[in-house]
Amino acid sequence: IAGITQAPTSQILAAGRRMTLRCTQDMRHNAMYWYRQDLGLGLRLIHYSNTAGTTGKGEVPDGYSVSRANTDDFPLTLASAVPSQTSVYFCASSVRSGSHEQFFGPGTRLTVL
Amino acid sequence: AQSVTQPDIHITVSEGASLELRCNYSYGATPYLFWYVQSPGQGLQLLLKYFSGDTLVQGIKGFEAEFKRSQSSFNLRKPSVHWSDAAEYFCAVGANFGNEKLTFGTGTRLTIIP
């Protein structure tokens, strides 16, 4: 089934640990995005990639890094997790960059203690 | 830069009643507008979108939205809600050119009572 998968579904992590959230899409979309969702704040863009090999910073990039080695995968890494990074993380993709319909993954619930 | 406001954090509606969720945007030109729905524990799903043309847009699950330029609004409506409509609803605005990303509102949580 075409779509976006994210792993893990949920994770509890000790502060200071490194963590990579995985995101894979099979729709051959050029653009991909990472958001965090926090109560009362809606969705905030962390990083994005307009096409394979390029990445850019969103609204809240500090403490996060991404890579886009190929079209399908867009991992998000927390180099040294902090409790304020406790959130639900969503990966999304769109056919191309710009304000186009985005398709979302099921999310990863991350708790940093 | 564009922005979007959803003034209602939480709305409660009786099953079978009509629904209107408010969305106001700020953007200098004609925007691209979207409504997404998020069921508990799920990702976001597109309900409908407006790019141009007819200002009344039909979406999935019986939803519609109307673009009103004079009011900078894109309110979501449904004539009769079902218990399965209980979810969080997000409005999003984007630019009709360039690489501007979508900007999402903070969401409106919809509760349906029997």
Side-chain angles (χ1 to χ4, degrees):
Chain A
I1 298 177
I4 297 180
T5 58
Q6 292 184 237
T9 301
S10 64
Q11 181 74 45
I12 299 174
L13 188 67
R17 296 297 295 269
R18 180 184 180 90
M19 176 72 191
T20 295
L21 307 185
R22 299 185 298 279
C23 173
T24 299
Q25 55 105 356
D26 62 2
M27 297 176 284
R28 308 303 293 173
H29 285 175
N30 282 318
M32 297 187 74
Y33 313 86
W34 273 106
Y35 294 91
R36 60 177 290 172
Q37 183 180 28
D38 303 288
L39 194 63
L41 298 177
L43 288 167
R44 293 182 292 169
L45 183 65
I46 305 171
H47 284 288
Y48 64 90
S49 169
N50 288 336
T51 189
T54 70
T55 62
K57 293 181 179 181
E59 181 184 355
V60 288
D62 294 343
Y64 306 94
S65 64
V66 291
S67 62
R68 186 88 184 277
N70 57 61
T71 297
D72 298 344
D73 301 300
F74 190 43
L76 175 74
T77 296
L78 290 67
S80 179
V82 296
S84 62
Q85 293 177 311
T86 294
S87 186
V88 181
Y89 291 86
F90 288 99
C91 180
S93 71
S94 60
V95 172
R96 55 185 182 273
S97 63
S99 296
H100 301 284
E101 176 184 354
Q102 293 183 14
F103 295 80
F104 284 79
T108 293
R109 181 175 295 276
L110 182 67
T111 301
V112 182
L113 301 176
Chain B
Q2 67 249 27
S3 66
V4 60
T5 301
Q6 293 181 249
D8 303 307
I9 296 173
H10 185 202
I11 284 183
T12 300
V13 176
S14 297
E15 190 169 15
S18 63
L19 171 70
E20 183 169 30
L21 302 182
R22 296 184 289 166
C23 172
N24 294 100
Y25 68 89
S26 174
Y27 182 62
T30 300
Y32 287 171
L33 294 161
F34 304 79
W35 274 101
Y36 284 84
V37 60
Q38 182 184 29
S39 298
Q42 304 295 316
L44 278 70
Q45 178 186 18
L46 183 71
L47 278 176
L48 48 78
K49 59 189 176 186
Y50 172 79
F51 285 176
S52 65
D54 193 346
T55 57
L56 185 62
V57 181
Q58 301 297 320
I60 62 171
K61 304 185 181 187
F63 285 92
E64 66 177 26
E66 186 171 11
F67 169 57
K68 293 186 177 180
R69 184 191 304 275
S70 62
Q71 299 177 19
S72 297
S73 69
F74 189 57
N75 294 349
L76 182 71
R77 302 194 295 247
K78 187 169 185 179
S80 176
V81 298
H82 186 261
W83 64 266
S84 60
D85 293 324
E88 185 110 22
Y89 292 81
F90 292 91
C91 182
V93 61
N96 59 7
F97 64 92
N99 280 328
E100 287 291 329
K101 307 296 178 286
L102 293 186
T103 298
F104 286 84
T106 53
T108 297
R109 184 159 61 93
L110 175 64
T111 297
I112 308 295
I113 56 176

